[in-house]
Amino acid sequence: MQSAKIINDPVFGFIRVPRGLLLDIVHHPAFYRLSRIKQLGGANIVYPGAQHTRFQHSLGAFHLMGKAILSLQQKGHFIFDSEAEAVQAAILLHDIGHGPFSHVLEHTLIHGVSHEDISLMIMEQMNEEFRGQLSLAIKIFKDEYPKRFLHQLISSQLDMDRLDYLKRDAFFTGVNEANIGSSRIIDMLDMVDDQLVVDKKGIYSIENYLVSRRLMYWQVYLHKTSVAAEHVMINALKRAKQLAKQELSTVNSQQPTLFASPALHFFLYNDIDRKTFFSNPDCLRHYLTLDDNDIWSAMKVWCNHPDPILSLLSRDFINRNIFKVEMSDEPVAEEHKQQKLQELAEHYYVSTDDANYLISNIEVGKDMYSMDDDQIEIRFNDGTTRDLTEASDMLSTSLATKKIRKHYFCYQRM
């Protein structure tokens, strides 16, 4: 009988998944569904190589978690085998609640429910299937386990999730400037009073990690074209949901029913809020069958839908005719927005209400470092620890925590 599954990963090489609970998770349909969800949503519109999946990312984070556990154990910190397995299970499952194109459904078809909420729901459902084997993993995931450093390895400003996605996303997008030294950072990890710290010898790697993170957000994750493409899709889904609502309210409607997979149909024709999602088991059941293919298939068919707004937005997305973007440090003036709405309405012979689907006004922002989150502590030779912003010669508090916000005014090209 095979003792482990060996996966050849383009970023880290061979990843070994031991037989037992961890391999059972990897083989579970809910986990394998992540292989049909791209890690970076529509970023491949800008970076054609960004075709990697949430499945690959989860395996990479699992691989780094194993290295982090081993590094801490070698430094004399006792971690039970059951704890090591549980934290590895938790990092494998940390993204299992992501829907198609990552965050798109959170803003359109489902309201008030984050992918973290859904991840926990799926973990609890899997725990019943696995007869309680995930109970410790869930406690660590929820930060309810006494050894808090285990949760920090999953979710903090220096966790295995971020170490993988920064390195992996830089690799697949070809943004070489953002390549981080994940192995060096893990080697420099230690623990003081149940909190993760970084040896002072690793401070330059941490500085590079934070600078790389900022670069990736503004050059990849929040690239104006990627953001605009995502909002073409979001607006198309919102329009489809509006048409579904109109169809339901029309007695003996002769309008053609929207093409959609059964799972997507469920979310288009039902109003799903937080209370509904947690109380109606059909929500999670349908959610677990959704992936990127549901959206692609629907939008390909919607290109020929009789509604001019839905068909236009669908063709835009399928054929890469992305919204034009105006970027500024200040919100768009209401007069400018209204003028653009009027121009679009006249150009496409639609009402100004319908023209609203051809516009998106977005505020985006990301801080390099947050003083409100678990801070990155640097340990010095005398055993004292200081926050990174106090220990670094390069990253002062004002620079590291500087809040950068940009406003994107996106609208249909004419």
Side-chain angles (χ1 to χ4, degrees):
M1 183 179 291
Q2 186 181 14
S3 61
K5 185 179 184 69
I6 306 297
I7 298 170
N8 194 354
D9 179 63
V11 177
F12 296 119
F14 293 113
I15 295 176
R16 180 182 179 275
V17 185
R19 184 165 57 88
L21 173 63
L22 298 174
L23 189 55
D24 289 343
I25 291 172
V26 172
H27 285 161
H28 195 280
F31 185 80
Y32 194 68
R33 163 183 163 272
L34 298 179
S35 67
R36 302 187 297 274
I37 297 176
K38 285 194 173 67
Q39 170 78 1
L40 293 182
N44 63 300
I45 286 175
V46 183
Y47 298 97
Q51 303 286 346
H52 55 301
T53 65
R54 291 275 165 188
F55 180 85
Q56 292 168 287
H57 159 61
S58 297
L59 286 171
F62 159 80
H63 172 73
L64 294 181
M65 183 65 78
K67 287 188 169 297
I69 292 297
L70 181 60
S71 177
L72 291 172
Q73 287 175 328
Q74 290 174 340
K75 288 168 183 159
H77 303 294
F78 189 77
I79 300 171
F80 289 106
D81 289 345
S82 58
E83 293 170 334
E85 181 182 64
V87 76
Q88 287 177 295
I91 198 67
L92 268 177
L93 295 169
H94 78 284
D95 268 354
I96 200 166
H98 269 291
F101 291 89
S102 295
H103 299 280
V104 167
L105 257 66
E106 296 175 44
H107 307 301
T108 52
L109 305 183
I110 301 171
H111 300 284
V113 186
S114 69
H115 72 271
E116 291 91 351
D117 295 327
I118 300 173
S119 290
L120 186 56
M121 287 183 70
I122 297 172
M123 289 171 70
E124 289 171 342
Q125 179 173 294
M126 290 176 64
N127 194 33
E128 293 181 13
E129 295 179 39
F130 292 158
R131 299 182 180 181
Q133 292 183 80
L134 289 174
S135 296
L136 182 54
I138 291 172
K139 280 188 177 181
I140 294 171
F141 183 81
K142 295 168 67 176
D143 199 13
E144 294 177 352
Y145 191 65
K147 293 184 178 181
R148 284 210 66 242
F149 75 92
L150 293 174
H151 176 77
Q152 285 183 300
L153 289 170
I154 298 169
S155 179
S156 67
Q157 292 198 83
L158 192 61
D159 55 37
M160 300 306 108
D161 173 30
R162 297 186 192 193
L163 287 184
D164 179 80
Y165 77 62
L166 287 174
K167 191 172 185 70
R168 186 170 301 277
D169 295 349
F171 176 86
F172 280 100
T173 57
V175 182
N176 296 323
E177 305 93 322
N179 191 18
I180 63 169
S182 55
S183 295
R184 171 72 173 171
I185 291 172
I186 288 173
D187 286 343
M188 292 296 105
L189 284 180
D190 210 333
M191 199 162 44
V192 173
D193 297 330
D194 196 37
Q195 297 289 319
L196 290 179
V197 298
V198 179
D199 190 277
K200 73 177 185 65
K201 292 184 291 185
I203 193 168
Y204 302 122
S205 297
I206 300 299
E207 290 171 343
N208 177 62
Y209 158 77
L210 289 176
V211 171
S212 297
R213 186 165 179 260
R214 170 173 275 181
L215 186 153
M216 285 297 289
Y217 266 94
W218 291 111
Q219 192 167 325
V220 177
Y221 309 137
L222 298 177
H223 189 288
K224 66 175 186 177
T225 305
S226 297
V227 172
E230 182 176 291
H231 278 267
V232 171
M233 186 199 326
I234 287 173
N235 288 8
L237 289 171
K238 286 181 176 178
R239 181 63 174 182
K241 191 163 182 66
Q242 176 62 25
L243 294 175
K245 187 175 182 180
Q246 291 174 2
E247 183 184 328
L248 290 173
S249 66
T250 304
V251 179
N252 297 323
S253 173
Q254 298 301 310
Q255 294 180 351
T257 301
L258 280 169
F259 174 87
S261 66
L264 182 57
H265 186 278
F266 176 84
F267 288 103
L268 286 173
Y269 283 82
N270 293 279
D271 289 328
I272 309 297
D273 58 13
R274 185 178 181 86
K275 181 180 178 181
T276 306
F277 200 96
F278 280 93
S279 61
N280 184 353
D282 285 342
C283 294
L284 186 59
R285 180 172 62 84
H286 283 295
Y287 189 88
L288 281 170
T289 66
L290 277 174
D291 56 51
D292 290 1
N293 298 309
D294 295 79
I295 308 297
W296 279 113
S297 298
M299 294 189 75
K300 283 169 65 179
V301 175
W302 294 346
C303 287
N304 298 310
H305 194 277
D307 178 74
I309 300 296
L310 181 60
S311 59
L312 174 62
L313 291 171
S314 299
R315 288 195 303 272
D316 283 348
F317 188 74
I318 294 295
N319 299 323
R320 201 190 179 279
N321 183 35
I322 306 306
F323 282 171
K324 186 176 177 61
V325 184
E326 295 178 7
M327 293 178 58
S328 66
D329 296 329
E330 301 296 330
V332 62
E334 186 62 27
E335 296 79 8
H336 182 42
K337 178 183 176 183
Q338 292 303 320
Q339 179 185 355
K340 188 58 65 176
L341 266 176
Q342 192 63 41
E343 291 174 1
L344 288 166
E346 293 174 1
H347 184 83
Y348 288 103
Y349 303 101
V350 296
S351 67
T352 51
D353 285 344
D354 285 349
N356 271 298
Y357 289 99
L358 306 179
I359 279 179
S360 286
N361 193 20
I362 313 146
E363 179 183 352
V364 298
K366 199 68 182 179
D367 306 329
M368 182 189 298
Y369 185 71
S370 173
M371 298 297 290
D372 300 324
D373 202 347
D374 281 331
Q375 297 171 20
I376 300 176
E377 296 287 329
I378 305 299
R379 188 189 61 190
F380 290 82
N381 292 337
D382 60 3
T384 61
T385 62
R386 277 185 268 166
D387 181 77
L388 172 67
T389 56
E390 298 175 6
S392 172
D393 295 328
M394 186 179 79
L395 299 176
S396 63
T397 302
S398 59
L399 177 62
T401 61
K402 182 179 179 182
K403 296 185 181 298
I404 298 178
R405 298 291 181 269
K406 295 185 186 297
H407 297 268
Y408 296 178
F409 182 45
C410 311
Y411 51 85
Q412 176 72 32
R413 297 174 188 271
M414 292 184 282

